[in-house]
């Protein structure tokens, strides 16, 4: 059994999408998803565990099993694919977050959220980039140019909205939830602009006109993405209301809502906008307008179907990150110099802490100046929680790291391999350790 | 615009899954799906149209537009992929059919259904194979061996359960619906055994031991597939009831039901069973047991979410078949000898009619002998409807034809190209014409 499994799995590495080996992978993946749900449910009474930690753990275990059965050749069922992540898994999660978000709370803090997401991300990126440049130049970790350092800053400034959803509770701490989650969404728009800027601007000559252009780009992207999402939501509401869809069929209403939300995401991708921002606002508009125009059974169905989709996608991501963490190819480079690798990970973790502190406290202070009632102000305890809760780095960081440092899922250079493994270390460490610290 | 679209589309032909071109394809596809739903809804009052015909028509129009903008090079957004069809689109359709089927009616006619699906398919396959051998040998259509002829018989004996669902109404004609749809499901098991037999047996020496082996294989496959589906359904019911899933979360229940149903389908694929049969019985058991153990909101959600998934998958298939029908590569071969191609299509259509008549009337007679009350007997008018309603050939025939006559989506030989184009002609003709005849 072990042998035949190994031979099938080593095949699946080469030709994903081929006949029988992909069937084996899908079977294993779906079975593991079921296991995560059941075990996550059984452990729910236990405050130390939840579905995402379970999924991470099961993913790691599966990785070990595959690694052993394949004789140390492979630990993955599928090569990490950005497409899979950005085209299929992320849209339902972010859409559902917009669909279920408490709108009143979100819009009351809108300016603060944008401040955190835009200015804060830039500050954090700057701190991490400069810090990385300072420390890594003295270490022997292969060649990294200024673009790579800025990319490192952007990667480790990406607050993971997916993880945030798992940790903060919207009903218990609505203010913190809306601030940290909203920041994560706006953060994405900043990242898109930033990544484009790294690739298109001449980074050796940064002057005020480049900075102005950068600011203009961000504003343009932010406004266009939001408008696209709002328009898609309003259009779905108009069509469903005007054409009396519910008169005939619940299924059509639900199908149309899902398809139009997905269309808004893909259109944003098409025009190089921030798809996360678009689908988030589409979710908000749909829950505010479209949802009230559909039949009663459509309301129940959409509320739960969207939540289910998002739930499955989240578990899928955690399972995947856990499984991918053990990929042998990347660790090969690292095993020659374990100390360097541990050092890099530790430095990055430290920089993440400092970079986040560098904007949360000053910006909270600024934000408090504009608020009159003390009730609306962010007190120091809440500031610490915001700093702390947004530290988690997750699937988005992983995807960005893969984008910058690999060529079609394979790691080629020593420096890139160290960066990928450090990203994994930081993601695993921040997710697991933070989870336990919050439980305590 | 037209030019840039064309260049992007011609790229998407080469590298599906690459970055921006696949985003363009997905956008177009999702937008077309939305258009199909809206237009299908607007035309609902019109008895001449429904979503599937709309999807076929829109698919054909899109094919023409792409063909013109790409300068006659391509009419497809994606290369036809069996994986896409059998792994993602078919499971929700068949599962939903099992989930929503009227169980009483289905099991009352179980023996007749199996008779039609198993014996009937074999008769039909035999008639079409022998007929094709007889007629095609005199025509100049390239080399086809005995395996190809038997495959043609199997391809054109595959009743399309997807189309049947669209034409017959479960509430108006429950007996006919259960007979024709059930036949389509059992038919799949026969096809799987038959295709395996074609590939593994020595076809020049058919004797009684081979026939016995064939019969044994069918029985084994039928029973194993059914048991697998029933077990998956019962297991889901047991887990959800025993662990009190609903106590905590509706989303988990729904996610578990979807994942376990899909797991049963993929397990059947893994063991080379009839996945269609498995997931169909899984749907029946889930609607009979699992569904009664979940919370009220889960019931509403599953009923509508499964129907929506199935609905979108159906439209997707019809849109795809319409778009794929104009693929230039296949018609190149045919354009040299249009007469031969029309002749082949006409002969095949005739053989389909005869082959179906050759088992519907005799087997109905046999089935009537076992029934005592005249109420349960299939009268001659119903027999004609069964003959007629099961004539439709659809996406399953297309997928089988691609499986037998192409290598990874590309047609190489003249004879194969003619077979593919004839399949498309028969599918389009039977779907559209039959639809209009039924309306009259």
């Amino acid at each position: 059994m072990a042998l035949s499994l190994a031979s099938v799995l080593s095949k699946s590495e080469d030709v994903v999408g081929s006949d029988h080996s992909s069937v084996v992978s899908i079977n294993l993946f779906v079975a593991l998803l079921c296991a995560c749900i059941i075990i996550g449910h059984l452990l729910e009474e236990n405050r130390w565990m939840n579905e995402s930690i379970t999924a991470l753990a099961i993913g790691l275990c599966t990785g070990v099993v595959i690694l052993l059965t394949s004789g140390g050749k492979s630990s993955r069922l599928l090569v990490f694919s950005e497409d899979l992540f950005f085209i299929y898994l992320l849209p339902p999660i972010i859409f559902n977050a917009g669909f279920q978000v408490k709108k009143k709370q979100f819009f009351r803090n809108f300016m603060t959220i944008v401040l955190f997401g835009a200015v804060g991300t830039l500050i954090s990126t700057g701190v991490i980039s400069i810090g990385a440049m300072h420390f890594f130049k003295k270490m022997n970790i292969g060649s990294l140019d200024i673009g790579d350092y800025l990319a490192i800053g952007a990667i480790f400034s990406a607050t993971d909205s997916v993880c945030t959803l798992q940790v903060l509770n919207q009903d218990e701490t609505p203010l913190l939830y809306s601030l940290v989650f909203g920041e994560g969404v706006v953060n994405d728009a900043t990242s898109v602009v930033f990544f484009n800027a790294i690739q298109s601007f001449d980074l050796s000559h940064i002057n005020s006109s480049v900075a102005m252009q950068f600011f203009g780009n961000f504003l343009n992207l932010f406004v266009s993405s939001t408008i696209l999402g709002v328009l898609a939501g309003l259009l779905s509401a108009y069509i469903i209301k005007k054409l009396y869809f519910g008169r005939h069929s619940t299924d059509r209403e639900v199908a149309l809502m899902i398809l139009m939300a997905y269309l808004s995401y893909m259109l944003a991708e098409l025009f190089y906008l921030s798809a996360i921002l678009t689908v988030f606002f589409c979710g908000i508009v749909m829950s505010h307008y479209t949802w009230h125009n559909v039949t009663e059974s459509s309301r129940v169905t959409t509320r739960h179907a969207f939540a289910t989709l998002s739930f499955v996608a989240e578990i899928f991501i955690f399972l995947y990150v856990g499984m991918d963490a053990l990929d042998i190819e990347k660790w090969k480079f690292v095993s020659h110099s374990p100390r360097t690798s541990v050092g890099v990970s530790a430095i990055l973790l430290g920089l993440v802490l400092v970079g986040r502190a560098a904007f949360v406290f000053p910006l909270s202070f600024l934000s408090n100046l504009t608020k009159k009632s003390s009730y609306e102000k962010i007190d120091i305890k809440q500031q610490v929680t915001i700093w702390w809760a947004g530290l988690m780095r997750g699937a988005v960081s992983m995807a960005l790291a893969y984008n910058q440092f690999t060529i079609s899922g394979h790691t080629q250079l020593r420096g890139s391999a160290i960066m990928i493994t450090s990203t994994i270390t930081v993601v695993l460490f921040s997710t697991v350790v933070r989870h336990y610290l919050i439980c305590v």
Side-chain angles (χ1 to χ4, degrees), chain A residues 232-374:
Chain A
L234 289 178
L235 186 65
S236 75
Y238 179 81
I239 290 175
I240 284 174
K241 184 167 192 181
K242 208 68 188 174
L243 302 182
Y244 299 103
F245 260 76
R247 188 183 48 181
H248 293 299
S249 151
T250 291
D251 310 333
R252 274 188 201 144
E253 289 180 336
V254 178
L256 203 66
M257 278 174 82
I258 294 177
L259 287 173
M260 292 209 49
Y262 191 62
L263 188 62
S264 79
Y265 185 91
M266 290 311 292
L267 278 175
E269 283 276 320
L270 185 68
F271 298 127
Y272 300 104
L273 300 175
S274 163
I276 290 183
L277 209 60
T278 302
V279 82
F280 179 75
F281 276 99
C282 182
I284 289 182
V285 173
M286 277 200 178
S287 77
H288 198 73
Y289 294 104
T290 320
W291 196 70
H292 294 281
N293 290 331
V294 298
T295 57
E296 182 56 35
S297 49
S298 290
R299 278 181 216 173
V300 178
T301 307
T302 47
R303 195 150 283 275
H304 292 294
F306 296 156
T308 305
L309 276 176
S310 158
F311 172 69
V312 173
E314 275 173 39
I315 299 181
F316 193 104
I317 290 175
F318 281 101
L319 192 60
Y320 194 84
V321 169
M323 222 180 265
D324 197 70
L326 284 171
D327 177 45
I328 201 74
E329 199 185 343
K330 290 169 301 212
W331 295 100
K332 257 191 309 205
F333 290 96
V334 178
S335 59
H336 298 307
S337 47
R339 262 198 208 168
T340 317
S341 179
V342 172
V344 169
S345 304
I347 290 169
L348 284 173
L349 264 174
L351 287 175
V352 166
L353 285 165
V354 175
R356 194 162 172 84
F359 78 85
V360 168
F361 300 109
L363 292 183
S364 299
F365 178 76
L366 271 182
S367 164
N368 283 344
L369 289 181
T370 65
K371 302 278 166 73
K372 276 167 192 164
S373 69
S374 70

Side-chain angles (χ1 to χ4, degrees), chain A residues 66-209:
Chain A
I66 300 173
L67 203 63
L68 292 177
T69 52
S70 71
K73 272 184 200 156
S74 153
S75 78
R76 301 192 287 185
L77 290 171
L78 300 156
V79 174
F80 188 91
S81 136
E82 277 176 70
D83 273 8
L84 179 72
F85 179 72
F86 281 113
I87 296 188
Y88 301 112
L89 297 174
L90 202 54
I93 297 176
I94 305 295
F95 174 73
N96 183 57
F99 198 77
Q100 321 263 8
V101 84
K102 288 203 193 315
K103 291 177 282 287
K104 212 169 155 187
Q105 191 68 246
F106 182 80
F107 285 109
R108 193 187 285 153
N109 298 303
F110 193 68
M111 280 321 294
T112 315
I113 288 168
V114 173
L115 199 66
F116 275 41
V119 183
T121 306
L122 285 182
I123 295 175
S124 166
T125 306
V127 169
I128 296 174
S129 298
I130 293 168
M133 225 182 288
H134 179 75
F135 288 111
F136 293 172
K137 277 202 173 150
K138 296 171 192 163
M139 295 164 86
N140 170 32
I141 52 158
S143 60
L144 293 171
D145 60 17
I146 186 159
D148 285 330
Y149 284 116
L150 286 172
I152 290 171
I155 289 167
F156 288 98
S157 298
T159 310
D160 189 6
S161 353
V162 180
C163 293
T164 312
L165 292 174
Q166 296 257 350
V167 169
L168 289 175
N169 189 312
Q170 180 162 220
D171 298 316
E172 288 167 17
T173 51
L175 175 67
L176 292 177
Y177 178 92
S178 68
L179 281 178
V180 178
F181 178 73
E183 181 208 321
V185 171
V186 176
N187 176 302
D188 174 70
T190 321
S191 299
V192 172
V193 177
F194 203 80
F195 258 85
N196 288 346
I198 291 173
Q199 279 156 9
S200 57
F201 292 129
D202 181 6
L203 293 166
S204 45
H205 306 288
I206 296 171
N207 54 28
S208 63
S209 95

